[in-house]
Amino acid sequence: MIRALLFLTTVAVATSCNTVKTPEKTSDGTTAKSDTARTTAANPLLAPWSGPFGGVPPLDSVRVEHFRPALESAMAEELAEVDAIATSKEPPTFENTIAALERSGRTLARVQTVYAIHASTLSTPAFQAVESEMAPRLAELADKIVQNEKLFARIAAVYGAREKSGLTAEQKRLAWLVHSNFVHAGAKLPAPAKARLTEINQRLASVFTRFNKSVLADETGIVHVLASEADLAGLPESIRSSAAAAAEARGEKGKWVIANTRSSAEPFLTYSDRRDLREKVWRTYYARGNNGDANDTKVLITEILQLRAERARLLGFETHAHWKLEKSMAKTPEATLALMESVWKPAVLRVHEEVADMQAFADREGAQITIEGWDYRYYAEKVRKEKYDFDQGALQPYLQLDNLRDALFFTADELFGLEFTPVANLPLLLPEIRVYEVKEKGQHVGLWYFDPYARAGKRSGAWMNAYRRQERFDGDVATIVSNNCNFVKGAPGEPVLISWDDARTLFHEFGHALHGLLSNVSYPSVSGTAVFRDYVEFPSQVVEQWLETPEVLSRFALHYKTGEPMPKELLDKLQRASTFNQGFTTVEYLASALVDMKLHLAATPDKAIDPAAFERDTLAALGMPKEIVMRHRTTQFGHLFSSDGYAAGYYSYLWSEVHSADAWEAFVEAGSPWDEATAKKLRDHVFSIGNTIDPADGYRAFRGRDAQSDALMRERGFVAE
Ligand SMILES: [Zn+2]
């Protein structure tokens, strides 16, 4: 399969997380060419994966200097393989064209798998230098394949004959997918347009890399140093100790450091009693990329928007958003706007209620303030305590990471009959990473790598990654998936306690892993999570729901000192408070998603959009509550500007949530979260089918009808039950 053309290749990430590209190509079925055999000895990236389970990635023997030569060699190999398919003397058939493409590029897929693991979990300045150099060259390779006219003629011939050439339903779908991906990427354009397209894609790849570096520089280069106890007022012990450790790491022992990152800024804004410091931290955090200095991203964004608009016009679309949405479940920008706007209005009304509650609280305290952006998280916590007598922190002693990992395994077993057992002695990047073999009825299903801890060079947030996709067209290939988080390690011998939100994230990412593990298809390009981006978050979001079941909590949410299960009273409070602050959460997210879509609808090749002015005017027109800012302000919106991944696609989380909320109600209607018949349908029509059928058809087969958005409105508490 062609790495470059799987437009949706990716990892799926939670809203709170950074994106990571997953290489789509998998498995090592191909024989290394004789001329690469020589280099293989010196470069572990080029060898087929060795070891048990059909081979595993050589994570213990790769060094940064291996990447460039390995990528160059593997790119040349892929081009040669594609060229051989394109110039075949045989008449084009599914087997010698589409299936042959699925077989091609195996070495590059393996190299890129390890490359992506380093990029997301162990990125160093030396690695970043390789990335800057290779990003435009990888973009160029993709265009060379799309623009190979002989190859496209053969693909078009196979696609044209698909109804009368005896293909299976999956083969027909794959022929359609490959053909439509080529057309989408410009295969039908005249030569001068193709040349310009290549220039645009390479330029974009370079600007994306610069955007990333700039935002990272503002996150790591700016810190708040707190010098006295008085600066720590209100902060719980866990924040104090991590701030002290951060200071020590910077050579300022005895002080405290708050980094300019989400994981440091958000807890500070939630707990600090010092309103002056909250304002400072808030202003600095939301100004990333917008400081008028060398790291300001506005000029990069203006260029990205113009290039994307020009590319869309070349490809025959009105805007980048129209082009992008062609490859989605939503299909049109209008459909996404209609959904977003229907949720926006009740969410804004809820924000006004939330602000009124907080203002009343502040007034009773005699604070003599008007609620501002830097007060929202702080007073929301106070109101939560007052209204529901519920403190999120009270859950934490019951949420031990090891127990919650076992809860994931319990859920997978109860729903789908999957069993997880630890595997030792596989090559690992670091010893703290764990690997589990997954079996069903004694048969090997795949491997699950779990990398739970934060470290320098690891991206923040959480994500899933497919190291190898399931396939069986040339014999069974089992999948290898991984889950990655950023938990802070406990002291030696102490359990790692995580927050309720983190526990949900753990279940979310495990949902993506199950989507990969349960895949049961023939071809890797349509396997597992290789589905439309606005559908891929549905399986992961729905799995979050099982965390809250009594069966999971009573077995696994055990107090780390007493071993007692979480008291029912605490659970009841948690449930009563479940729709609390949903106005804030929804508006913070939706403002970002709406600005994304509107930016990409407004951009044209010849208009230089000022991102700051556009953001200000768009939010004013929407009626953005003044107490909230976008979750990702435009100048720091990595989803949109560090790749094409989520550009005109940030709405995807909401689109998927319509499906996950509606799907969960199928279990509620069946009377149990563990209802066997419903779980089987979910597996048969969602988790196992990858992209072998239209997702709307798959959903309908599961639910008996299309998804309805009222389940989402109930989940968020925007309609009366
Ligand atoms: Zn996700």
Side-chain angles (χ1 to χ4, degrees):
M1 102 200 158
I2 303 178
R3 184 198 57 78
L5 300 179
L6 252 193
F7 59 98
L8 219 207
T9 66
T10 316
V11 162
V13 292
T15 331
S16 59
C17 310
N18 288 344
T19 54
V20 161
K21 283 200 175 159
T22 332
E24 343 29 87
K25 194 61 169 268
T26 56
S27 141
D28 38 300
T30 40
T31 322
K33 285 182 176 328
S34 56
D35 61 342
T36 58
R38 259 181 307 115
T39 45
T40 297
N43 195 327
L45 284 166
L46 290 169
W49 291 353
S50 59
F53 309 112
V56 292
L59 295 169
D60 56 349
S61 52
V62 172
R63 295 194 309 274
V64 171
E65 57 267 32
H66 290 136
F67 283 112
R68 192 168 58 119
L71 284 167
E72 283 171 344
S73 168
M75 285 162 67
E77 183 182 312
E78 172 154 3
L79 269 187
E81 287 168 350
V82 167
D83 198 50
I85 296 167
T87 55
S88 164
K89 298 280 179 279
E90 303 288 319
T93 63
F94 180 89
E95 189 54 31
N96 70 21
T97 305
I98 306 288
L101 285 171
E102 291 287 284
R103 273 179 206 107
S104 72
R106 299 283 189 171
T107 307
L108 184 57
R110 288 197 309 271
V111 175
Q112 279 202 287
T113 294
V114 183
Y115 181 70
I117 293 169
H118 276 249
S120 56
T121 69
L122 210 57
S123 181
T124 58
F127 182 85
Q128 287 165 12
V130 177
E131 263 188 319
S132 300
E133 188 192 343
M134 296 312 292
R137 294 176 65 185
L138 286 160
E140 183 189 16
L141 172 74
D143 280 325
K144 270 189 187 159
I145 296 171
V146 165
Q147 298 181 5
N148 184 323
E149 289 182 8
K150 285 181 183 156
L151 178 67
F152 181 65
R154 294 179 70 87
I155 291 167
V158 175
Y159 172 69
R162 70 195 179 285
E163 294 300 340
K164 43 188 190 303
S165 45
L167 302 183
T168 66
E170 182 178 335
Q171 289 170 334
K172 274 189 241 179
R173 173 90 179 165
L174 179 58
W176 164 80
L177 188 69
V178 172
H179 182 261
S180 68
N181 285 354
F182 267 71
V183 174
H184 189 73
K188 282 185 167 174
L189 295 186
K194 279 181 176 159
R196 178 62 190 147
L197 200 64
T198 300
E199 282 173 15
I200 292 173
N201 285 334
Q202 288 185 53
R203 176 70 193 159
L204 277 171
S206 293
V207 185
F208 293 155
T209 314
R210 285 175 57 197
F211 177 90
N212 254 343
K213 270 170 103 170
S214 298
V215 176
L216 198 61
D218 273 0
E219 290 184 350
T220 53
I222 302 173
V223 295
H224 303 279
V225 180
L226 309 181
S228 72
E229 271 290 328
D231 293 344
L232 308 179
L235 300 183
E237 188 46 45
S238 59
I239 297 178
R240 287 170 184 238
S241 60
S242 58
E248 200 175 333
R250 292 173 52 89
E252 306 211 47
K253 196 168 171 15
K255 294 182 181 172
W256 299 266
V257 157
I258 303 299
N260 196 28
T261 60
R262 186 177 299 280
S263 55
S264 287
E266 281 189 359
F268 187 85
L269 292 169
T270 306
Y271 294 108
S272 172
D273 290 337
R274 284 283 299 272
R275 191 171 193 241
D276 57 332
L277 294 178
R278 288 204 307 269
E279 179 175 353
K280 205 170 150 220
V281 166
W282 184 90
R283 286 193 186 279
T284 313
Y285 182 66
Y286 288 107
R288 286 168 298 140
N290 193 21
N291 294 312
D293 57 11
N295 296 323
D296 194 291
T297 60
K298 291 197 287 294
V299 59
L300 304 177
I301 292 169
T302 301
E303 184 180 357
I304 289 170
L305 290 169
Q306 283 181 301
L307 288 169
R308 281 180 177 151
E310 184 187 350
R311 180 175 60 185
R313 295 273 173 92
L314 276 175
L315 290 162
F317 290 81
E318 203 180 326
T319 70
H320 175 79
H322 290 87
W323 176 70
K324 179 64 174 274
L325 271 289
E326 191 195 41
K327 286 282 171 188
S328 72
M329 193 175 178
K331 302 267 192 293
T332 65
E334 293 71 27
T336 72
L337 288 172
L339 173 66
M340 288 192 275
E341 279 161 8
S342 74
V343 182
W344 175 257
K345 289 175 197 113
V348 169
L349 286 177
R350 176 60 51 82
V351 166
H352 295 321
E353 293 167 13
E354 289 170 7
V355 171
D357 283 349
M358 294 191 290
Q359 188 65 56
F361 188 98
D363 292 348
R364 278 198 305 281
E365 269 193 340
Q368 295 187 310
I369 58 155
T370 304
I371 298 291
E372 300 282 356
W374 47 92
D375 299 317
Y376 212 114
R377 286 185 172 82
Y378 179 76
Y379 280 101
E381 230 19 63
K382 305 250 178 216
V383 174
R384 191 200 311 264
K385 256 185 206 156
E386 186 185 58
K387 241 184 167 169
Y388 298 97
D389 183 27
F390 175 61
D391 169 10
Q392 293 238 58
L395 298 171
Q396 200 143 338
Y398 296 92
L399 301 173
Q400 302 175 62
L401 179 58
D402 286 355
N403 276 0
L404 287 162
R405 183 203 53 220
D406 291 345
L408 301 176
F409 299 164
F410 171 83
T411 304
D413 191 7
E414 291 293 311
L415 286 176
F416 304 121
L418 299 182
E419 290 163 29
F420 289 68
T421 47
V423 188
N425 301 324
L426 295 185
L428 297 173
L429 205 57
L430 294 164
E432 67 200 35
I433 297 164
R434 297 278 177 272
V435 189
Y436 293 79
E437 185 186 8
V438 187
K439 287 185 177 177
E440 182 175 13
K441 293 182 183 139
Q443 297 291 310
H444 179 74
V445 168
L447 294 174
W448 182 69
Y449 283 56
F450 187 42
D451 179 5
Y453 301 117
R455 74 179 67 93
K458 189 172 182 179
R459 294 184 188 198
S460 62
W463 62 94
M464 169 270 194
N465 206 335
Y467 295 169
R468 181 169 70 200
R469 291 191 185 280
Q470 177 273 333
E471 61 171 73
R472 56 170 141 68
F473 76 117
D474 277 342
D476 276 325
V477 174
T479 188
I480 302 176
V481 298
S482 79
N483 278 166
N484 307 269
C485 309
N486 270 287
F487 302 123
V488 179
K489 261 186 258 181
E494 291 290 310
V496 177
L497 300 177
I498 66 176
S499 71
W500 182 254
D501 283 350
D502 284 342
R504 275 195 86 101
T505 301
L506 199 60
F507 272 70
H508 176 101
E509 300 307 334
F510 191 66
H512 288 307
L514 290 175
H515 196 186
L517 287 164
L518 291 168
S519 178
N520 182 18
V521 307
S522 293
Y523 297 96
S525 289
V526 291
S527 179
T529 53
V531 299
F532 288 141
R533 192 178 295 278
D534 55 5
Y535 198 64
V536 77
E537 296 299 326
F538 153 43
S540 56
Q541 284 172 352
V542 75
V543 168
E544 290 176 35
Q545 300 284 353
W546 273 272
L547 168 63
E548 284 186 50
T549 60
E551 292 79 5
V552 164
L553 291 176
S554 63
R555 281 175 178 78
F556 301 100
L558 308 178
H559 195 282
Y560 77 107
K561 279 187 179 153
T562 65
E564 292 291 318
M566 193 180 279
K568 185 166 183 319
E569 190 204 350
L570 193 55
L571 274 179
D572 290 345
K573 282 182 190 170
L574 169 75
Q575 251 129 31
R576 272 200 303 277
S578 70
T579 58
F580 177 74
N581 215 34
Q582 281 294 327
F584 174 83
T585 308
T586 307
V587 163
E588 188 197 34
Y589 160 77
L590 267 184
S592 304
L594 282 160
V595 167
D596 164 33
M597 192 57 71
K598 286 173 189 279
L599 253 183
H600 287 101
L601 284 168
T604 65
D606 39 22
K607 187 168 67 189
I609 289 184
D610 172 355
F614 188 90
E615 177 184 304
R616 183 193 61 220
D617 297 346
T618 304
L619 294 176
L622 281 167
M624 178 76 164
K626 70 170 177 51
E627 300 84 1
I628 299 184
V629 284
M630 296 161 68
R631 182 170 182 80
H632 307 280
R633 293 193 68 188
T634 311
T635 59
Q636 58 215 221
F637 208 160
H639 289 80
L640 311 193
F641 305 117
S642 67
S643 77
D644 278 328
Y646 281 84
Y650 195 63
Y651 77 93
S652 296
Y653 295 99
L654 186 72
W655 193 271
S656 284
E657 196 182 331
V658 168
H659 292 81
S660 57
D662 189 63
W664 175 247
E665 290 197 348
F667 285 91
V668 175
E669 288 159 21
S672 164
W674 312 97
D675 182 70
E676 271 182 44
T678 312
K680 183 176 184 312
K681 274 196 218 166
L682 188 65
R683 178 182 186 148
D684 291 350
H685 302 297
V686 178
F687 277 80
S688 68
I689 53 152
N691 195 10
T692 59
I693 62 171
D694 187 310
D697 292 340
Y699 193 83
R700 234 170 270 132
F702 160 64
R703 193 69 167 104
R705 56 165 174 74
D706 289 328
Q708 294 165 355
S709 63
D710 41 335
L712 164 89
M713 301 296 262
R714 279 191 288 276
E715 188 181 82
R716 296 211 167 201
F718 294 156
V719 286
E721 299 265 343

